[in-house]
Amino acid sequence: MDSSSASPAAAASSPAFAFSSPPPVENPRSPFSKPRPPSSISRPSYLVETPSRPRAPSSSSSRTIYSDRFIPSRSGSNFSLFDLSLPPSASSSSSSDAGREDGSGAYAALLRAVLFGPDQGVAPPATPDRSSAAVAGRSPSSSSSTSSSVAFSTPSRNIFRYKAEVPRYSLAEQFEDELPGFSHIHPRAPRKVPRSPYKVLDAPALQDDFYLNLVDWSSHNVLAVGLGNCVYLWNACSSKVTKLCDLGVDDSVCSVGWAQRGNHLAVGTNQGKVQIWDASRCRRIRTMESHRLRVGALAWSSSLLSSGSRDKIILQRDIRAQEDFVSKLTGHKSEVCGLKWSHDNRELASGGNDNRLFVWNQHSTQPVLKYSEHTAAVKAIAWSPHVHGLLASGGGTADRCIRFWNTVTNSHLSCIDTGSQVCNLVWSKNVNELVSTHGYSQNQIIVWRYPTMSKLATLTGHTYRVLYLAISPDGQTIVTGAGDETLRFWNVFPSPKSQNTGSDIGARSLGRSHIR
């Protein structure tokens, strides 16, 4: 049977890659009514004529009744509209074969080139082509033209096979070349953390005491540092240094803590007092007592200030109230050296020299959660800004571990031995990473990726224990302080929008200077 005289049904049996337009809309009066095609409009080629039932002779010409079956026909497809050039082997075939088979061959060739690239050594699957099955039944005169149309069928090979010579990203490159509008996908290189600080400040009289917290960074980009019996403010935008207060020779600074809005600074003293200062005016607002010994830990929750002392007590102070404190939290058996409120201000975590980690809620006077897995003092405490209830804590010299807790389910998640005293922890708010600072015996700073806890960088430079740590308001820069009386600024975290954008501070100022 010659291919040019194939019936529409035979054409419908071959695979089609072009889509014909749907038949005209039927009578809208009833969705179930029989179709009534207009007599003056010629029917398209994809409808099959069916002979009408015999009728009585009449003077008018007999009308042809069309069925409502939709049979797609590839013979009416025009591949030139899609800029699909036919291969040279297909151009020599007959016109009827080109309409039925060369279009699918050209489409398959283009699809294969886009997916696997030209001459990539990957052959299509050996799925039998319908056109090849019809070759056996054709006449010898048409076999030559048909063989050219099925020239794209190659021996059987697995299209998912990996080849060493095929580039790993050749698929994306081919899409970029063949299809405009697709951007090239490059593999993400590991983020590089600078191994040196971009700025160093001399901080004379910065104490080498594990239980103190003498550095904090405000939301207004102002760094507060307690040096001896004075508190100094360093403006990170202008590098201006301001002396906020002097406690006199009879007292010394043991802790500093900025309020969340960045205007008020709390100062804990060696005599057990807590002072509230207006940093913009350099004016003391009030002084609160009630602790019998030094106040080494401070934490803000809106207008509520928590203070932890060597007297083992945590006092909750509302700076709007006249009383020095509104509640007293008891539970620790030794000095309280770590305090942190969760980001939703619902839970307070406290660590002490009794090797205990406690979690309190807003209204409790006894801890609601108690953890005793650490074997040394717990000063390093940090709440994750990414996962609700995820708490990290670090132990001292005899412990050396960072532990992770789920305070929602009251479960211990994981533990990693760092090999040295854990002094501080802080999470990045831009990426799921955290920084730990260490003391004996390596005095290093480590950037971790959570939850794998793989090390992104280990930073060294301090010659004493890295006892103090604070993070900039943009979440990119950390400042570390040590008993070597230096403050070092490091760019360790990426910005929220870019992996390589440095902080404004690092871009503006380099070198070493004095904080007072």
Side-chain angles (χ1 to χ4, degrees):
M1 177 179 178
D2 190 78
S3 60
S4 61
S5 60
S7 65
S13 64
S14 60
F17 293 97
F19 299 93
S20 301
S21 302
V25 178
E26 303 298 343
N27 186 358
R29 290 177 298 179
S30 172
F32 304 103
S33 61
K34 289 290 183 178
R36 295 192 306 167
S39 59
S40 60
I41 300 178
S42 62
R43 307 303 292 176
S45 61
Y46 49 74
L47 295 181
V48 178
E49 288 191 14
T50 57
S52 59
R53 293 180 295 178
R55 290 189 177 185
S58 62
S59 59
S60 61
S61 61
S62 61
R63 292 189 303 169
T64 301
I65 303 301
Y66 296 88
S67 72
D68 58 352
R69 292 184 59 200
F70 172 72
I71 303 177
S73 174
R74 294 173 52 242
S75 60
S77 302
N78 188 358
F79 286 93
S80 62
L81 296 177
F82 304 97
D83 295 329
L84 300 179
S85 59
L86 299 179
S89 60
S91 60
S92 60
S93 62
S94 62
S95 59
S96 60
D97 287 338
R100 282 194 318 229
E101 297 169 358
D102 292 346
S104 63
Y107 182 88
L110 177 59
L111 181 61
R112 186 163 56 252
V114 169
L115 292 177
F116 305 106
D119 301 329
Q120 293 293 337
V122 180
T127 303
D129 191 5
R130 295 183 182 180
S131 59
S132 62
V135 172
R138 291 181 181 174
S139 62
S141 60
S142 61
S143 60
S144 59
S145 62
T146 307
S147 61
S148 62
S149 65
V150 296
F152 294 106
S153 297
T154 55
S156 168
R157 293 189 64 183
N158 187 355
I159 64 172
F160 297 107
R161 172 188 247 169
Y162 290 95
K163 291 183 65 68
E165 64 271 15
V166 179
R168 184 175 182 85
Y169 296 94
S170 60
L171 180 62
E173 293 171 357
Q174 291 300 324
F175 268 109
E176 180 183 13
D177 295 337
E178 298 291 341
L179 302 177
F182 282 83
S183 59
H184 183 66
I185 303 175
H186 296 279
R188 177 178 295 181
R191 181 167 58 85
K192 294 183 179 180
V193 178
R195 294 305 195 269
S196 301
Y198 68 82
K199 188 176 184 64
V200 178
L201 294 178
D202 286 325
L206 186 61
Q207 297 187 55
D208 183 28
D209 192 328
F210 177 81
Y211 301 98
L212 305 186
N213 293 274
L214 297 176
V215 177
D216 198 18
W217 208 327
S218 79
S219 59
H220 290 174
N221 215 8
V222 177
L223 188 70
V225 184
L227 300 178
N229 53 7
C230 300
V231 176
Y232 290 87
L233 306 180
W234 180 76
N235 191 306
C237 297
S238 62
S239 297
K240 180 182 177 181
V241 178
T242 303
K243 184 178 180 179
L244 179 66
C245 65
D246 188 339
L247 302 181
V249 295
D250 297 332
D251 207 350
S252 62
V253 180
C254 295
S255 57
V256 294
W258 285 102
Q260 294 168 340
R261 294 183 179 180
N263 296 320
H264 293 159
L265 178 70
V267 179
T269 74
N270 190 56
Q271 294 182 354
K273 299 178 182 179
V274 176
Q275 299 180 359
I276 307 297
W277 288 77
D278 185 343
S280 60
R281 302 178 184 178
C282 292
R283 184 172 63 90
R284 186 175 62 187
I285 299 176
R286 65 181 298 183
T287 300
M288 296 175 287
E289 300 183 355
S290 300
H291 280 302
R292 295 179 288 105
L293 299 173
R294 70 179 184 183
V295 180
L298 296 168
W300 287 87
S301 172
S302 186
S303 60
L304 187 67
L305 174 63
S306 304
S307 60
S309 170
R310 182 178 264 182
D311 62 10
K312 314 170 190 177
I313 302 298
I314 301 173
L315 296 180
Q316 304 280 50
R317 309 172 185 270
D318 191 336
I319 62 173
R320 301 168 299 180
Q322 295 182 352
E323 298 80 12
D324 282 349
F325 65 93
V326 293
S327 63
K328 179 187 296 186
L329 312 184
T330 59
H332 283 286
K333 304 301 181 182
S334 187
E335 179 174 8
V336 179
C337 52
L339 278 179
K340 284 289 166 52
W341 279 97
S342 61
H343 294 278
D344 57 5
N345 294 326
R346 293 183 177 181
E347 294 178 303
L348 174 67
S350 65
N353 197 30
D354 54 0
N355 309 343
R356 297 293 187 267
L357 174 68
F358 293 158
V359 178
W360 322 70
N361 61 31
Q362 293 173 308
H363 309 290
S364 65
T365 57
Q366 294 293 322
V368 294
L369 298 176
K370 298 181 181 181
Y371 302 116
S372 58
E373 281 76 1
H374 285 290
T375 57
V378 182
K379 175 191 177 186
I381 299 173
W383 292 91
S384 170
H386 309 289
V387 180
H388 175 68
L390 177 58
L391 176 63
S393 61
T397 306
D399 184 77
R400 306 174 303 177
C401 292
I402 299 176
R403 298 179 182 270
F404 296 92
W405 318 85
N406 187 333
T407 61
V408 177
T409 60
N410 189 21
S411 57
H412 181 211
L413 300 178
S414 60
C415 173
I416 181 170
D417 190 340
T418 65
S420 57
Q421 178 187 44
V422 183
C423 302
N424 293 279
L425 289 169
V426 66
W427 288 87
S428 167
K429 65 179 182 181
N430 302 332
V431 290
N432 201 13
E433 299 170 3
L434 69 158
V435 163
S436 61
T437 67
H438 299 269
Y440 303 125
S441 59
Q442 303 177 40
N443 305 325
Q444 78 274 35
I445 304 160
I446 303 178
V447 184
W448 308 86
R449 177 181 285 116
Y450 188 81
T452 61
M453 290 305 288
S454 57
K455 292 183 181 180
L456 290 176
T458 300
L459 312 176
T460 57
H462 285 290
T463 57
Y464 279 67
R465 298 180 295 174
V466 188
L467 298 177
Y468 310 111
L469 173 66
I471 189 168
S472 62
D474 63 3
Q476 301 180 55
T477 304
I478 62 170
V479 58
T480 57
D484 56 11
E485 298 185 346
T486 63
L487 296 174
R488 298 172 185 263
F489 295 81
W490 317 76
N491 283 323
V492 296
F493 294 132
S495 66
K497 298 181 180 179
S498 172
Q499 297 286 333
N500 300 316
T501 302
S503 68
D504 295 337
I505 309 168
R508 267 196 293 269
S509 57
L510 297 172
R512 187 175 184 128
S513 58
H514 294 268
I515 198 170
R516 70 174 186 181

